[in-house]
Amino acid sequence: FGPHVAISEAGELGKYQRFGQAAPTTACCAILDALRAANQEIEPYNDEEDDMQEVWLFRHVAQQIDKIREADSPVAAVTLEAYEAIKKQMLGIINNDFSTGHLILIGGIQINMPAPFEDEFQPLLFQVSNKNQTFHLLEHLVVK
């Protein structure tokens, strides 16, 4: 689970030129729209039914807007804040009483890279849990 962010050919964080497009566009559009709206202090939609994801992101970004504005890279900061909000939501709905098995969660940030590079994933959470205990395994994760 987690958000994504892109890097353009020019190295600009939050921009990505998708196949068939004439110029780079924002990525993640929903997160960057929430940042724009929070900077302007306007909620993007009056009704959650219009775009529940955008309203949810906006409300979380708006709570952290001062911290995001002060960051060296507001795009990186807002992406990390989005991840933290998503993580909190995910961890809040876990129910390990479903069986005797284990639930594995992997969370992080998907990084869309320009050609010829492959997309990357920055893991930020790797946990295994059951009804009795939770194991945090990120420090044991080895990427080859």
Side-chain angles (χ1 to χ4, degrees):
F1 68 87
H4 76 107
V5 69
I7 301 174
S8 72
E9 280 188 34
E12 185 177 3
L13 189 62
K15 295 282 187 174
Y16 189 73
Q17 187 160 349
R18 293 165 177 87
F19 181 75
Q21 291 183 329
T25 56
T26 57
C28 169
C29 187
I31 292 171
L32 297 179
D33 282 352
L35 175 60
R36 181 184 44 77
N39 273 324
Q40 296 172 2
E41 298 179 3
I42 56 167
E43 189 161 334
Y45 299 97
N46 294 328
D47 185 348
E48 282 193 18
E49 290 182 20
D50 289 339
D51 191 333
M52 292 174 68
Q53 175 190 24
E54 189 62 43
V55 172
W56 187 87
L57 283 167
F58 166 78
R59 291 179 179 159
H60 289 280
V61 169
Q63 292 173 4
Q64 301 295 328
I65 194 62
D66 292 334
K67 178 180 172 183
I68 293 166
R69 284 179 182 149
E70 294 172 4
D72 290 337
S73 172
V75 173
V78 74
T79 303
L80 190 56
E81 289 300 331
Y83 165 77
E84 291 297 335
I86 295 164
K87 179 177 93 173
K88 182 178 178 183
Q89 189 79 14
M90 288 293 295
L91 295 177
I93 63 171
I94 290 175
N95 177 357
N96 284 314
D97 293 329
F98 63 92
S99 76
T100 58
H102 290 82
L103 175 66
I104 300 171
L105 288 178
I106 300 174
I109 299 172
Q110 178 71 32
I111 305 168
N112 303 120
M113 300 292 292
F117 303 104
E118 301 243 353
D119 290 347
E120 298 289 338
F121 181 73
Q122 178 186 4
L124 298 172
L125 180 119
F126 179 28
Q127 87 178 27
V128 177
S129 59
N130 62 26
K131 63 175 79 177
N132 299 316
Q133 55 193 336
T134 299
F135 302 96
H136 298 278
L137 303 172
L138 185 62
E139 63 205 35
H140 304 290
L141 185 64
V142 178
V143 180
K144 293 183 181 186

